[in-house]
Amino acid sequence: MRQIAVIARRELASIFLSPIAYVVLVCFLLLNGISFWLIVTFVTNEPAMQMQSSPLQAFFGGTLLYYLPILAVCPLITMRTLAEEHRSGTIETLMTAPVRDFEVVLGKYAAALIFYIFLWLPTLLYVVLVARNATSLDWGPVASAYLGTLLIGVLYVSIGILMSAMSKNQIIACILTYVVLGGLFFLGLGEYVLSDEWWKNVWSHVNLWSHMEELSKGIVDTRRVVYYLSGAVAALYTATRVVEARRWRA
Amino acid sequence: MSPADVPTPRPRDPSRERASIGLNSLARVLLVLGLFVMVNYLSARHYVRADMTRKSLYSLSAKTKRVLGGLHSDVQVDVFLSQGDSIYGDVKELFSRYRAQSPRIKVRFIDPDLDRARFELMKSRYGIREGRLPDGRTITDTAIVVSSGERHWFVTQDDMVEVDFSGAEMGGGPELKGFKAEGALTSAIVNVTTADKPKICFTKGHGELSIDDFGERGLSHLAEALKRDNYETQAIETYGRPSVPSGCSAVIVAGPTRPFAEEEAASLRSFVEGGGKLALLLDPIIDGSRFVPTGLEGIAEHFGVKIDQDIVVETDAKRLTTVGGLETFAAMDWATGHALAEPFREAPLLVSIARSVRKAEGGTALVTEIVKTSDSSWGETDLARMQAGDEPAKGADDVEPPASLAAAVEVGESERKGRLVVVGDADFLARALFENPTLVNQDFGLGIVSWLSQRENLISIAPKDVENVHMNLSEDQLFWIRTYSVYCMPLAALFVGVVVWLRRRQ
């Protein structure tokens, strides 16, 4: 556990000292800010829309503008983690240190996930703005919407770590993560297109959009929690095996 | 043994060893992926949904849970809503709750636009009619068909939503006021899984509220709700008949304004003694400045319920309405542990000009006082004093608070027990109160029939109000929200980034 914390701290320091982190943060906040402002303006000008959803419900998963930053940011956060160590050769040093493979993977994963959470922290200001200006705000759905956002991060960051472990180049890692995350996102949308009940159920199980639709309303379904957590465990386990493979292949 | 005889270890083959480790790793990864699929498969079959909303907007009512828990056969639900429909998401979410509660519920969503072949099949099977909206979407006269075995039940969109048209006069469009799909769907499930169809008989000939009357004093809305709950309704004459017509599962006397004859009362009494079910909903009958007995007080007393000659007056301002006097108020203190009262807890039942109904002293029957008024109320027996408009005050002869407004009695020891419900008011069934979603008048009215018919699980479910968060922002407020969210926050992040970059350069 101590080793994981040490690696995570080292990784976090390198993230926060790199300019790319701030570029990501600025773009992320800009996109989310525009999304939030558009929703608030729309809800104010179209009172009938208030019947369907509150501004925060629309913000958390009601529009494509919520998913785009997540899909764009997760690969950028994770692409460097293990791929860069391979490219620069520092992985050898890391591997000869008294740390186990899973500690390396979990340390890097924890750092990336903390940065993902850090990206979302400023959006709490949106909640404050709505709470101050709306007639009433139900805090339950707000909490479940953030839980959903966290669960997505838990899975997507772990997939990014796996792709980074599999690549020797951070650009390749980034592209691979985009492909997998984009694939998952679009496959999920199959729920809305397919008519066959069995396939519909399969795609609805991975459909990020419908998951967030529920979570932003205040519904926490164990199927979603199990999917995101078990997916993350599977991805991180596989990533550990990939790192281990590099050791014995060398 | 000479050293030559010692077996030498075989030289290690690094490529074989790597392949072996590789295969081992691959097997472990595949095992974990298999576990991932299995865990998700199981979680998809057995799941739980937690509702975090303040008003439990996404929780099933106790009634629905009871109905679903008691299912012994599969129930097939076919939903004919297109994905663009405004209630599609809500209906889908609702069925997730039903499926989480019972694996007996099988749901198929058949989009009339996307899944044309299957829709045509269902259309001819159930005789569904369709039309086209201006945007090209298909609309059907039936939104959902619930079926089990040979029985099926139709649910329309109107059964599932409450729309408020009050804004239309001001140029506004219709607004979604409440979502009542759970009541409609649970009733449909009960309808298709329950074989019998009890007949509820309403007496007539004494100025009672009539099930054929669509006006203010009518009960057509109650009859309609009962039909939806798989009951038959019939108006019956009691005058000149020695007994209640056979086939009546329950008899309801709703607000007579003229007294019953002794023979009629006797026939109702023997009906209950013979295991029949009877509801007496009795407003006070007033003639000038005196109370007139309805002729049914004796039956109630015989079974242990005393109906007072009074008008209940409430002085607790929290329970009074803005339009009625002290005689129109909400009763909220429900008995615990009785099936007729249990679903309501502290929910308001609005009554108007009611009389008190209480357990008679020394009675031996199993009587439960169902709902009571507050401690700031009493049963006013001095009608002349009330009519004179004197300051309300409890007199020595008045009925002590809290006044009970309804009582339920189980009669007899045999398996076929008679049941009697006495309510000191019939106006609570008036259309305006019956259809008001903030009151439990409808639930209580239908609950009485369910309890009498021994179908407690058919107690109606009140619609869920739609939670609205209103944001009416001025141009100034919008400007500041844009400034904070679009400019200030990204610029602050940029500033921190530049500072870090500059410090690193130094």
Side-chain angles (χ1 to χ4, degrees):
Chain A
M1 195 64 200
R2 213 177 63 87
Q3 302 292 358
I4 295 171
V6 169
I7 294 170
R9 210 175 305 134
R10 198 199 71 159
E11 191 68 18
L12 267 177
S14 81
I15 288 175
F16 279 103
L17 288 177
S18 78
I20 186 93
Y22 295 94
V23 174
V24 167
L25 181 61
V26 169
C27 294
F28 185 81
L29 289 179
L30 190 64
L31 264 175
N32 273 331
I34 291 171
S35 162
F36 177 69
W37 177 64
L38 286 176
I39 287 166
V40 168
T41 311
F42 187 65
V43 167
T44 305
N45 296 335
E46 300 278 340
M49 277 306 293
Q50 294 174 1
M51 311 308 296
Q52 311 293 330
S53 60
S54 76
L56 287 172
Q57 197 178 315
F59 175 73
F60 284 105
T63 69
L64 193 62
L65 286 174
Y66 169 80
Y67 304 100
L68 283 181
I70 292 181
L71 290 169
V73 149
C74 288
L76 294 176
I77 299 175
T78 55
M79 64 183 190
R80 285 180 71 252
T81 49
L82 289 159
E84 183 64 11
E85 302 267 14
H86 281 300
R87 196 193 59 79
S88 60
T90 49
I91 191 83
E92 307 301 333
T93 323
L94 196 59
M95 290 293 128
T96 50
V99 287
R100 283 169 288 184
D101 299 334
F102 81 88
E103 289 171 335
V104 174
V105 171
L106 285 186
K108 300 230 169 224
Y109 173 69
L113 190 61
I114 289 169
F115 184 64
Y116 173 85
I117 294 167
F118 174 78
L119 288 176
W120 281 99
L121 283 182
T123 63
L124 288 170
L125 184 69
Y126 305 156
V127 180
V128 175
L129 288 174
V130 171
R132 285 184 60 166
N133 293 298
T135 48
S136 70
L137 182 67
D138 194 344
W139 291 94
V142 174
S144 62
Y146 272 105
L147 172 70
T149 307
L150 175 66
L151 286 172
I152 293 171
V154 165
L155 177 62
Y156 279 22
V157 169
S158 71
I159 291 173
I161 293 282
L162 172 61
M163 294 303 131
S164 187
M166 290 167 73
S167 321
K168 283 186 178 168
N169 181 309
Q170 55 173 314
I171 303 297
I172 307 260
C174 183
I175 292 169
L176 277 177
T177 314
Y178 275 130
V179 170
V180 175
L181 298 190
L184 269 179
F185 182 73
F186 287 108
L187 279 179
L189 298 184
E191 182 195 352
Y192 302 127
V193 188
L194 297 169
S195 55
D196 183 81
E197 204 61 31
W198 194 85
W199 282 110
K200 223 178 158 82
N201 286 337
V202 170
W203 297 136
S204 85
H205 198 74
V206 299
N207 187 359
L208 185 61
W209 200 304
S210 67
H211 297 174
M212 277 314 294
E213 235 170 44
E214 285 179 358
L215 285 156
S216 64
K217 281 179 180 171
I219 305 161
V220 180
D221 190 317
T222 51
R223 286 175 296 178
R224 318 300 172 221
V225 178
V226 167
Y227 166 66
Y228 288 106
L229 293 184
S230 63
V233 169
L236 291 175
Y237 181 82
T238 311
T240 309
R241 295 277 79 87
V242 172
V243 171
E244 185 191 69
R246 288 196 188 277
R247 192 200 287 272
W248 53 255
R249 272 156 125 193
Chain B
M1 191 191 286
S2 68
D5 295 333
V6 176
T8 51
R10 287 176 63 184
R12 290 170 66 187
D13 182 350
S15 63
R16 273 179 72 107
E17 207 165 302
R18 272 204 295 269
S20 153
I21 298 171
L23 277 174
N24 183 278
S25 279
L26 184 67
R28 284 198 280 179
V29 167
L30 289 176
L31 185 70
V32 167
L33 291 179
L35 274 174
F36 166 73
V37 173
M38 201 194 301
V39 163
N40 279 272
Y41 174 75
L42 288 175
S43 82
R45 287 179 70 89
H46 309 281
Y47 58 93
V48 177
R49 288 162 76 84
D51 179 4
M52 295 178 71
T53 58
R54 192 170 37 207
K55 291 185 182 171
S56 299
L57 292 176
Y58 304 104
S59 300
L60 290 177
S61 66
K63 174 199 169 183
T64 300
K65 285 181 184 167
R66 218 165 37 231
V67 168
L68 296 178
L71 285 180
H72 297 298
S73 54
D74 285 354
V75 174
Q76 179 65 50
V77 182
D78 292 304
V79 184
F80 306 107
L81 290 174
S82 71
Q83 292 184 13
D85 202 290
S86 59
I87 61 166
Y88 178 86
D90 290 319
V91 170
K92 189 171 151 241
E93 188 283 317
L94 182 63
F95 278 119
S96 288
R97 282 185 258 161
Y98 276 71
R99 280 158 60 184
Q101 197 66 34
S102 169
R104 291 275 186 201
I105 303 289
K106 317 280 180 201
V107 187
R108 280 187 302 216
F109 281 83
I110 300 169
D111 189 318
D113 295 311
L114 287 179
D115 200 356
R116 200 66 212 166
R118 260 204 306 173
F119 175 67
E120 287 291 341
L121 194 71
M122 293 292 171
K123 193 177 130 184
S124 57
R125 182 187 296 174
Y126 296 120
I128 296 168
R129 286 181 297 171
E130 64 170 317
R132 291 250 166 224
L133 288 171
D135 61 6
R137 275 190 296 128
T138 304
I139 187 166
T140 55
D141 63 342
T142 299
I144 296 172
V145 177
V146 180
S147 54
S148 180
E150 291 302 304
R151 296 165 70 88
H152 57 261
W153 196 262
F154 299 109
V155 179
T156 66
Q157 287 224 20
D158 289 345
D159 293 333
M160 294 191 281
V161 290
E162 280 189 345
V163 181
D164 182 9
F165 292 95
S166 59
E169 288 169 17
M170 309 295 287
E175 284 194 352
L176 187 63
K177 196 172 142 203
F179 190 60
K180 54 179 184 178
E182 189 189 336
L185 293 170
T186 303
S187 292
I189 291 170
V190 173
N191 280 324
V192 297
T193 52
T194 312
D196 63 326
K197 202 168 184 181
K199 188 192 279 182
I200 309 299
C201 300
F202 290 78
T203 59
K204 63 177 181 180
H206 313 84
E208 292 98 328
L209 306 177
S210 164
I211 51 169
D212 301 318
D213 185 352
F214 288 82
E216 274 306 300
R217 257 192 76 76
L219 284 184
S220 61
H221 50 280
L222 173 64
E224 210 170 281
L226 288 174
K227 274 181 198 153
R228 209 185 60 185
D229 280 351
N230 211 23
Y231 291 101
E232 267 182 65
T233 56
Q234 188 186 340
I236 58 162
E237 294 267 12
T238 49
Y239 188 73
R241 284 176 179 268
S243 62
V244 169
S246 62
C248 288
S249 305
V251 174
I252 296 181
V253 181
T257 51
R258 289 189 296 279
F260 276 64
E262 238 171 71
E263 300 75 33
E264 291 175 285
S267 80
L268 289 174
R269 179 177 146 175
S270 20
F271 174 65
V272 178
E273 282 171 336
K277 321 288 187 255
L278 174 67
L280 302 175
L281 316 179
L282 306 177
D283 285 320
I285 305 178
I286 297 166
D287 179 18
S289 60
R290 67 183 184 93
F291 292 106
V292 178
T294 58
L296 301 172
E297 286 80 358
I299 306 181
E301 195 136 14
H302 176 76
F303 294 118
V305 179
K306 170 105 173 82
I307 305 175
D308 293 303
Q309 298 289 8
D310 64 354
I311 290 178
V312 180
V313 173
E314 175 66 78
T315 57
D316 181 352
K318 285 187 292 220
R319 296 176 181 229
L320 296 175
T321 62
T322 48
V323 287
L326 299 180
E327 308 84 34
T328 303
F329 56 87
M332 297 152 80
D333 299 319
W334 298 89
T336 49
H338 194 279
L340 187 50
E342 201 58 40
F344 306 121
R345 300 283 156 139
E346 288 172 8
L349 172 78
L350 198 76
V351 296
S352 183
I353 313 182
R355 59 210 293 195
S356 57
V357 164
R358 57 198 158 104
K359 188 175 177 177
E361 280 167 25
T364 52
L366 184 60
V367 180
T368 309
E369 292 178 346
I370 297 297
V371 62
K372 290 180 182 176
T373 58
S374 76
D375 289 332
S376 314
S377 66
W378 67 90
E380 180 65 61
T381 51
D382 189 350
L383 197 54
R385 194 181 128 78
M386 280 188 88
Q387 285 170 338
D390 292 351
E391 186 67 23
K394 194 178 101 48
D397 295 336
D398 291 338
V399 176
E400 291 293 322
S404 166
L405 294 173
V409 190
E410 287 195 73
V411 179
E413 296 298 320
S414 67
E415 206 155 273
R416 196 172 137 69
K417 281 182 183 172
R419 284 187 171 189
L420 171 70
V421 174
V422 185
V423 184
D425 184 47
D427 300 324
F428 79 93
L429 289 176
R431 184 184 290 274
L433 304 181
F434 191 82
E435 291 177 352
N436 187 332
T438 61
L439 304 172
V440 293
N441 289 37
Q442 179 179 146
D443 298 1
F444 182 55
L446 295 176
I448 290 173
V449 178
S450 303
W451 188 73
L452 289 176
S453 319
Q454 290 171 299
R455 293 169 76 189
E456 283 88 340
N457 58 1
L458 252 184
I459 292 169
S460 183
I461 300 159
K464 297 249 165 87
D465 287 353
V466 174
E467 175 89 344
N468 293 324
V469 179
H470 287 280
M471 283 191 82
N472 298 314
L473 301 175
S474 63
E475 282 298 317
D476 251 17
Q477 286 169 310
L478 277 176
F479 169 79
W480 281 112
I481 286 179
R482 186 178 55 189
T483 308
Y484 280 132
S485 56
V486 182
Y487 304 126
C488 290
M489 286 166 67
L491 282 175
L494 186 65
F495 175 74
V496 175
V498 170
V499 169
V500 170
W501 180 67
L502 286 176
R503 288 190 68 172
R504 280 202 76 191
R505 273 174 65 99
Q506 282 167 10

